[in-house]
Amino acid sequence: QVQLVESGGGLVQAGGSLRLSCIVSGGTFSHFVLGWFRQAPGKEREFVGAIDWSGGRTVYGDFVKGRFTISRDNAKNTVYLQMTSLKPEDTAVYSCAADPTWVVFTIPTLTRNVDYWGQGTQVIVSS
């Protein structure tokens, strides 16, 4: 049973930074593409970014504009989301996700096919 557990969320002032972590257990970590999504109240889930199996390739949602960085540590079974220059509109529940394939993260209509999801961690950015 693959499980994903996020941590690192919290309250931060606009302009500040946070680093989210997601530990993956129950599977072969290096076999997964890992991604981050977010959902704000009353809004649809939004793709934040993804990182491939080795960490050599990343892709981000348009809104990121260089503010966020995804990384992974295959020795620790952990994926990270470093967020900087945070804005109030970044307030959302951030969830990590894992799937053996890259395409489910890069094609929006395939996102529903992502195999594994975490429960999410709340990020609140105050103005």
Side-chain angles (χ1 to χ4, degrees):
Q1 184 77 4
V2 177
Q3 293 187 319
L4 289 74
V5 179
E6 302 93 339
S7 62
L11 175 65
V12 63
Q13 288 189 331
S17 300
L18 274 179
R19 188 178 80 157
L20 307 182
S21 301
C22 173
I23 298 177
V24 181
S25 61
T28 304
F29 186 76
S30 62
H31 289 184
F32 291 123
V33 176
L34 301 163
W36 287 93
F37 293 82
R38 70 183 188 180
Q39 188 163 20
K43 295 187 176 181
E44 292 188 354
R45 183 173 59 201
E46 183 174 31
F47 173 69
V48 177
I51 188 166
D52 75 359
W53 307 265
S54 67
R57 178 174 48 165
T58 55
V59 62
Y60 297 95
D62 290 341
F63 73 90
V64 170
K65 298 187 187 301
R67 299 184 299 127
F68 297 176
T69 303
I70 295 176
S71 60
R72 65 188 291 164
D73 186 335
N74 284 2
K76 296 182 178 179
N77 288 6
T78 303
V79 60
Y80 304 97
L81 177 64
Q82 177 69 51
M83 303 185 293
T84 63
S85 302
L86 284 162
K87 307 173 183 179
E89 52 264 42
D90 293 318
T91 294
V93 174
Y94 285 72
S95 300
C96 63
D99 193 275
T101 62
W102 177 256
V103 67
V104 296
F105 292 99
T106 58
I107 298 178
T109 54
L110 297 182
T111 297
R112 66 183 184 274
N113 297 319
V114 170
D115 281 349
Y116 306 106
W117 295 87
Q119 292 297 309
T121 184
Q122 177 75 58
V123 171
I124 300 173
V125 184
S126 63
S127 57

